[in-house]
């Protein structure tokens, strides 16, 4: 399943960047994939990586094996993160009782308060996306668009700090 977010729609045509829903899958299998390697895959291979599901343990293993196969074709080993690092990140965005500090503080910059009730209403992929957009030194504009899409709130451009434009 390939979930497409409106705030990323400009990347879906050629898939020259890794969509967040696909980065979610890569993180689930512990893969650290560079943009360079992503773009060395064929269009069809990138689409398959976007479409494959990772809901069950079997699907996770299949995804990982397919990725390893693709990297071998490129004569690349790939980078794999320590599973403990992935678990620490996952514990933050998956925790329904505590909003990750980075997400909360980034929203505050926009004069938006995310309540625990708001956080619970988001699905795993939405919480993951906000977490990634808050800790990965991503543009504030993407975080803003994600908040608008997921929470249905209007954030005026005047809320963005002048340095974020």
């Amino acid at each position: 399943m390939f979930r497409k977010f409106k705030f990323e729609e400009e990347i879906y045509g050629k898939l020259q960047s890794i969509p967040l829903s696909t980065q979610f899958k890569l993180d689930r299998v512990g893969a650290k994939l560079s943009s360079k390697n992503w773009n060395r895959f064929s269009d069809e291979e990138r689409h398959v990586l976007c479409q494959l599901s990772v809901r069950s343990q079997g699907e996770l293993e299949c995804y990982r094996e397919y990725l390893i196969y693709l990297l071998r074709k490129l004569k690349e080993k790939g980078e794999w993160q320590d599973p403990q690092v992935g678990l620490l990140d996952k514990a933050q965005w998956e925790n329904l009782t505590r909003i990750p500090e980075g997400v909360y503080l980034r929203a505050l910059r926009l004069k938006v308060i995310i309540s625990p009730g708001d956080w619970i209403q988001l699905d795993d992929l939405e919480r993951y996306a906000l977490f990634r957009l808050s800790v990965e030194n991503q543009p504030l504009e993407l975080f803003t668009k994600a908040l608008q899409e997921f929470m249905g709130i209007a954030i005026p451009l005047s809320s963005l700090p002048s340095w974020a434009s």
Side-chain angles (χ1 to χ4, degrees), residues 3 31 79:
R3 179 151 173 210
E79 283 187 60

Side-chain angles (χ1 to χ4, degrees), residues 1-2 4 22 25 46-53 63:
M1 176 178 93
F2 185 15
K4 296 179 180 182
T22 303
K25 296 171 186 184
R46 288 194 301 258
H47 278 280
V48 169
L49 287 169
C50 290
Q51 294 290 342
L52 285 174
S53 177
Y63 194 92

Side-chain angles (χ1 to χ4, degrees), residues 38-158:
W38 174 258
N39 285 304
R40 288 181 64 202
F41 297 147
S42 71
D43 289 346
E44 294 80 18
E45 291 165 340
R46 288 194 301 258
H47 278 280
V48 169
L49 287 169
C50 290
Q51 294 290 342
L52 285 174
S53 177
V54 293
R55 290 185 180 162
S56 70
Q57 187 59 38
E59 288 173 341
L60 280 167
E61 290 169 15
C62 180
Y63 194 92
R64 189 174 200 280
E65 290 304 315
Y66 181 63
L67 183 58
I68 290 169
Y69 162 76
L70 293 177
L71 290 167
R72 282 187 184 144
K73 271 183 36 177
L74 298 176
K75 296 183 173 37
E76 295 280 347
K77 291 181 183 178
E79 283 187 60
W80 303 93
Q81 75 178 21
D82 177 347
Q84 294 304 317
V85 173
L87 289 175
L88 290 174
D89 284 351
K90 185 178 178 186
Q92 290 188 63
W93 60 261
E94 203 174 56
N95 185 344
L96 295 177
T97 62
R98 187 168 190 273
I99 302 163
E101 183 178 9
V103 173
Y104 188 79
L105 292 175
R106 199 152 228 217
L108 271 182
R109 269 195 206 156
L110 301 169
K111 300 179 177 107
V112 172
I113 301 215
I114 301 175
S115 73
D118 296 328
W119 188 247
I120 288 171
Q121 294 300 314
L122 300 173
D123 64 38
D124 281 352
L125 194 50
E126 291 166 342
R127 287 191 310 276
Y128 169 84
L130 288 174
F131 176 75
R132 288 289 296 208
L133 291 171
S134 72
V135 297
E136 291 293 321
N137 207 12
Q138 297 287 336
L140 186 59
E141 183 182 355
L142 280 180
F143 183 84
T144 303
K145 288 179 178 182
L147 265 183
Q148 290 173 321
E149 183 174 336
F150 303 157
M151 297 176 62
I153 55 176
I155 301 171
L157 289 177
S158 60

Side-chain angles (χ1 to χ4, degrees), residues 6-22:
K6 283 183 182 180
F7 70 90
E8 287 187 310
E9 65 189 353
E10 70 275 356
I11 71 171
Y12 295 134
K14 295 192 180 218
L15 288 176
Q16 291 178 329
S17 297
I18 304 171
L20 277 168
S21 62
T22 303

